[in-house]
Amino acid sequence: MKPSNLALAIAALSGAVLATPALAENDITIYGKANLSLNQVDYETDPEDQWNLTSNASRIGVKGSVAINDELKAIYKMEYEVAIDDGDSDGDEFKQRNIYVGLQGTWGTVIGGKHDTPTKLIGKPVDRFNDLELGDIKNLLEGENRESNIVIYSSPKFAENFSASVAFIPGEDSDDSDGETNDGLADATSIALSFKNEQVYAAIANDSEVDGWDLTRLAADFTLSDKAKAGFIFQDGELSDGDVEQTGYIFSGQYTIDKIVLKAQYGMSTYDFGAIETDLTQITIGADYKINKAVKAYTYYSNIETDIETDTTYDDSVFSVGLEVKF
Amino acid sequence: MLIRLLLLSLISSSAINAQADFDVDDADSLDFSSFHSSKKPAAKVIEQSQDKTNNASPNTQPPPTSRVVYERYSLTRSDHTPYSAFYVIEALHRQLAQHCPQGWLKEKEWSQHIEASDYLLHYQYHCLTE
């Protein structure tokens, strides 16, 4: 489907709900958010010093389910990134985000399509500047992957507070890091186990051959009070062919004062290329102001220092003010 | 045809949005069960309209509009109100009679603690003639 036809498709789909009340038990929901910021960017790694508008992964999605019987339903989700600032999402009007179709029952959920890996998703509660330029942990850590052709099974809660997810990715004849052809069912895998109660969220995940990396990630987030939260991520990984290793960690926290949420995040990552090492240090501070339940204004400053062992240092920084509207 | 489709999209999306309590917050998660559970809008306490026209068939009557009235009272004397629970029941009934001259159906009542010994007594109701 051409991206430019997306609006038409959504319109037709939504219209169908109105036109056929008999399908009322099959729910469909349009959701998304618009997040636009004005950024003052100063990069040394990619010499750039300018003001810009950024869409920060603004998106529109359609989700729904169709009942098959009392215990089983088919589910789907189609979510697209929208470039509010210039209409250009990597050359298209809409860029595919998480999209899947699957089945859901009391035994859990199985989906197939294009989706974030379990390893990426366990870190999201700790990433307090998710989707923001330089502030997102993807600028520091490997493992932030959205994979095509992925199949995920996610369990229901067990032992009261636990859940697990297992994903596999057929290579579909792609070349792996050793130059061999990936043609198996599970050329790459990503698995996660998580625990959650009112005070503690904790999860561990492992990737094998996902985007060429093998890594293990540990994430935890703690609700310290009704105003304060703090969390961390630690991970260790290497390229599947063993040439490069990476170790990294993130600490983050937030404190709420009435309608203002103060946030801070610090992270460090070391790439070991064998002959040399490169350290990345990320510092981000910011504040959200909740205008109402759906709208917030925010500001943040983020800096990433790249320190290469050859005594070369780069500083990249962003200062930003933005507005986010959820719907 | 294009304009009709776009209009349908706008109409239906605004109706659907009322049920979507920010699914975007659940979208990037491994909890598919939560994401695909139906989300109801947060309950509005005052003047809540139970607009279910999106689900109603064309031949059924629209549901009555629910409203809420409330009065503050104290279990003991306070700086904010000298009114007792008995007193504000009468005050609430005066409000109901003013809103619904033909009578009303009280759907539920509840009290919300404010501070010290002060509470808000709420009546949720709809008028019989709606």
Side-chain angles (χ1 to χ4, degrees), chain A residues 170-185:
Chain A
E172 298 194 358
D173 286 343
S174 62
D175 290 337
D176 70 7
S177 52
D178 295 326
E180 298 176 356
T181 300
N182 285 322
D183 54 8
L185 176 65

PDB file of all heavy atoms in Angstrom, chain A residues 170-185:
ATOM      1  N   PRO A 170      12.904 -15.216  11.720  1.00  0.00           N
ATOM      2  CA  PRO A 170      13.508 -15.935  10.592  1.00  0.00           C
ATOM      3  C   PRO A 170      14.391 -14.983   9.780  1.00  0.00           C
ATOM      4  O   PRO A 170      14.038 -13.824   9.574  1.00  0.00           O
ATOM      5  CB  PRO A 170      12.298 -16.399   9.767  1.00  0.00           C
ATOM      6  CG  PRO A 170      11.122 -16.243  10.659  1.00  0.00           C
ATOM      7  CD  PRO A 170      11.450 -15.146  11.615  1.00  0.00           C
ATOM      8  N   GLY A 171      15.529 -15.485   9.349  1.00  0.00           N
ATOM      9  CA  GLY A 171      16.450 -14.618   8.618  1.00  0.00           C
ATOM     10  C   GLY A 171      16.009 -14.299   7.208  1.00  0.00           C
ATOM     11  O   GLY A 171      16.451 -13.304   6.627  1.00  0.00           O
ATOM     12  N   GLU A 172      15.174 -15.154   6.645  1.00  0.00           N
ATOM     13  CA  GLU A 172      14.675 -14.955   5.277  1.00  0.00           C
ATOM     14  C   GLU A 172      15.813 -14.717   4.290  1.00  0.00           C
ATOM     15  O   GLU A 172      15.813 -13.756   3.513  1.00  0.00           O
ATOM     16  CB  GLU A 172      13.646 -13.819   5.225  1.00  0.00           C
ATOM     17  CG  GLU A 172      12.405 -14.112   6.071  1.00  0.00           C
ATOM     18  CD  GLU A 172      11.256 -13.172   5.762  1.00  0.00           C
ATOM     19  OE1 GLU A 172      11.436 -12.269   4.929  1.00  0.00           O
ATOM     20  OE2 GLU A 172      10.174 -13.363   6.358  1.00  0.00           O
ATOM     21  N   ASP A 173      16.811 -15.601   4.366  1.00  0.00           N
ATOM     22  CA  ASP A 173      17.932 -15.612   3.422  1.00  0.00           C
ATOM     23  C   ASP A 173      18.858 -14.399   3.532  1.00  0.00           C
ATOM     24  O   ASP A 173      19.612 -14.103   2.613  1.00  0.00           O
ATOM     25  CB  ASP A 173      17.445 -15.743   1.964  1.00  0.00           C
ATOM     26  CG  ASP A 173      16.969 -17.152   1.654  1.00  0.00           C
ATOM     27  OD1 ASP A 173      17.318 -18.072   2.435  1.00  0.00           O
ATOM     28  OD2 ASP A 173      16.257 -17.337   0.656  1.00  0.00           O
ATOM     29  N   SER A 174      18.783 -13.684   4.641  1.00  0.00           N
ATOM     30  CA  SER A 174      19.729 -12.586   4.833  1.00  0.00           C
ATOM     31  C   SER A 174      21.093 -13.156   5.188  1.00  0.00           C
ATOM     32  O   SER A 174      21.218 -14.308   5.608  1.00  0.00           O
ATOM     33  CB  SER A 174      19.245 -11.669   5.953  1.00  0.00           C
ATOM     34  OG  SER A 174      19.176 -12.396   7.172  1.00  0.00           O
ATOM     35  N   ASP A 175      22.136 -12.333   5.047  1.00  0.00           N
ATOM     36  CA  ASP A 175      23.493 -12.760   5.415  1.00  0.00           C
ATOM     37  C   ASP A 175      23.747 -12.415   6.870  1.00  0.00           C
ATOM     38  O   ASP A 175      23.422 -11.323   7.324  1.00  0.00           O
ATOM     39  CB  ASP A 175      24.528 -12.056   4.538  1.00  0.00           C
ATOM     40  CG  ASP A 175      24.482 -12.554   3.106  1.00  0.00           C
ATOM     41  OD1 ASP A 175      24.001 -13.689   2.899  1.00  0.00           O
ATOM     42  OD2 ASP A 175      24.894 -11.796   2.219  1.00  0.00           O
ATOM     43  N   ASP A 176      24.315 -13.355   7.616  1.00  0.00           N
ATOM     44  CA  ASP A 176      24.660 -13.026   8.992  1.00  0.00           C
ATOM     45  C   ASP A 176      26.050 -12.425   9.044  1.00  0.00           C
ATOM     46  O   ASP A 176      26.697 -12.191   8.022  1.00  0.00           O
ATOM     47  CB  ASP A 176      24.513 -14.254   9.903  1.00  0.00           C
ATOM     48  CG  ASP A 176      25.561 -15.316   9.636  1.00  0.00           C
ATOM     49  OD1 ASP A 176      26.497 -15.050   8.840  1.00  0.00           O
ATOM     50  OD2 ASP A 176      25.443 -16.409  10.212  1.00  0.00           O
ATOM     51  N   SER A 177      26.523 -12.161  10.245  1.00  0.00           N
ATOM     52  CA  SER A 177      27.795 -11.462  10.396  1.00  0.00           C
ATOM     53  C   SER A 177      28.978 -12.291   9.904  1.00  0.00           C
ATOM     54  O   SER A 177      30.062 -11.758   9.679  1.00  0.00           O
ATOM     55  CB  SER A 177      28.000 -11.090  11.871  1.00  0.00           C
ATOM     56  OG  SER A 177      27.826 -12.242  12.682  1.00  0.00           O
ATOM     57  N   ASP A 178      28.805 -13.613   9.754  1.00  0.00           N
ATOM     58  CA  ASP A 178      29.885 -14.463   9.254  1.00  0.00           C
ATOM     59  C   ASP A 178      29.781 -14.684   7.744  1.00  0.00           C
ATOM     60  O   ASP A 178      30.526 -15.478   7.175  1.00  0.00           O
ATOM     61  CB  ASP A 178      29.871 -15.827   9.961  1.00  0.00           C
ATOM     62  CG  ASP A 178      30.184 -15.684  11.442  1.00  0.00           C
ATOM     63  OD1 ASP A 178      30.983 -14.783  11.763  1.00  0.00           O
ATOM     64  OD2 ASP A 178      29.623 -16.447  12.251  1.00  0.00           O
ATOM     65  N   GLY A 179      28.836 -13.991   7.106  1.00  0.00           N
ATOM     66  CA  GLY A 179      28.681 -14.140   5.680  1.00  0.00           C
ATOM     67  C   GLY A 179      27.886 -15.367   5.277  1.00  0.00           C
ATOM     68  O   GLY A 179      27.778 -15.681   4.089  1.00  0.00           O
ATOM     69  N   GLU A 180      27.339 -16.088   6.249  1.00  0.00           N
ATOM     70  CA  GLU A 180      26.521 -17.253   5.928  1.00  0.00           C
ATOM     71  C   GLU A 180      25.066 -16.829   5.750  1.00  0.00           C
ATOM     72  O   GLU A 180      24.638 -15.797   6.256  1.00  0.00           O
ATOM     73  CB  GLU A 180      26.644 -18.296   7.040  1.00  0.00           C
ATOM     74  CG  GLU A 180      28.060 -18.832   7.214  1.00  0.00           C
ATOM     75  CD  GLU A 180      28.166 -19.800   8.394  1.00  0.00           C
ATOM     76  OE1 GLU A 180      27.149 -19.976   9.090  1.00  0.00           O
ATOM     77  OE2 GLU A 180      29.253 -20.341   8.605  1.00  0.00           O
ATOM     78  N   THR A 181      24.303 -17.645   5.053  1.00  0.00           N
ATOM     79  CA  THR A 181      22.917 -17.302   4.788  1.00  0.00           C
ATOM     80  C   THR A 181      22.021 -17.729   5.940  1.00  0.00           C
ATOM     81  O   THR A 181      22.080 -18.869   6.405  1.00  0.00           O
ATOM     82  CB  THR A 181      22.435 -17.989   3.500  1.00  0.00           C
ATOM     83  OG1 THR A 181      23.255 -17.555   2.413  1.00  0.00           O
ATOM     84  CG2 THR A 181      20.982 -17.631   3.203  1.00  0.00           C
ATOM     85  N   ASN A 182      21.214 -16.788   6.428  1.00  0.00           N
ATOM     86  CA  ASN A 182      20.236 -17.107   7.464  1.00  0.00           C
ATOM     87  C   ASN A 182      18.942 -17.561   6.804  1.00  0.00           C
ATOM     88  O   ASN A 182      18.259 -16.757   6.168  1.00  0.00           O
ATOM     89  CB  ASN A 182      19.962 -15.867   8.326  1.00  0.00           C
ATOM     90  CG  ASN A 182      21.095 -15.568   9.279  1.00  0.00           C
ATOM     91  OD1 ASN A 182      21.707 -16.476   9.838  1.00  0.00           O
ATOM     92  ND2 ASN A 182      21.381 -14.293   9.450  1.00  0.00           N
ATOM     93  N   ASP A 183      18.633 -18.817   6.938  1.00  0.00           N
ATOM     94  CA  ASP A 183      17.408 -19.321   6.315  1.00  0.00           C
ATOM     95  C   ASP A 183      16.587 -20.180   7.283  1.00  0.00           C
ATOM     96  O   ASP A 183      15.726 -20.948   6.863  1.00  0.00           O
ATOM     97  CB  ASP A 183      17.732 -20.118   5.040  1.00  0.00           C
ATOM     98  CG  ASP A 183      18.748 -21.217   5.317  1.00  0.00           C
ATOM     99  OD1 ASP A 183      19.058 -21.441   6.513  1.00  0.00           O
ATOM    100  OD2 ASP A 183      19.224 -21.844   4.353  1.00  0.00           O
ATOM    101  N   GLY A 184      16.880 -20.057   8.574  1.00  0.00           N
ATOM    102  CA  GLY A 184      16.187 -20.877   9.564  1.00  0.00           C
ATOM    103  C   GLY A 184      14.945 -20.194  10.116  1.00  0.00           C
ATOM    104  O   GLY A 184      14.606 -19.075   9.745  1.00  0.00           O
ATOM    105  N   LEU A 185      14.288 -20.901  11.031  1.00  0.00           N
ATOM    106  CA  LEU A 185      13.079 -20.370  11.658  1.00  0.00           C
ATOM    107  C   LEU A 185      13.414 -19.318  12.699  1.00  0.00           C
ATOM    108  O   LEU A 185      12.716 -18.321  12.842  1.00  0.00           O
ATOM    109  CB  LEU A 185      12.298 -21.514  12.317  1.00  0.00           C
ATOM    110  CG  LEU A 185      11.047 -21.119  13.104  1.00  0.00           C
ATOM    111  CD1 LEU A 185      10.002 -20.521  12.179  1.00  0.00           C
ATOM    112  CD2 LEU A 185      10.487 -22.320  13.861  1.00  0.00           C
TER     113      LEU A 185
END
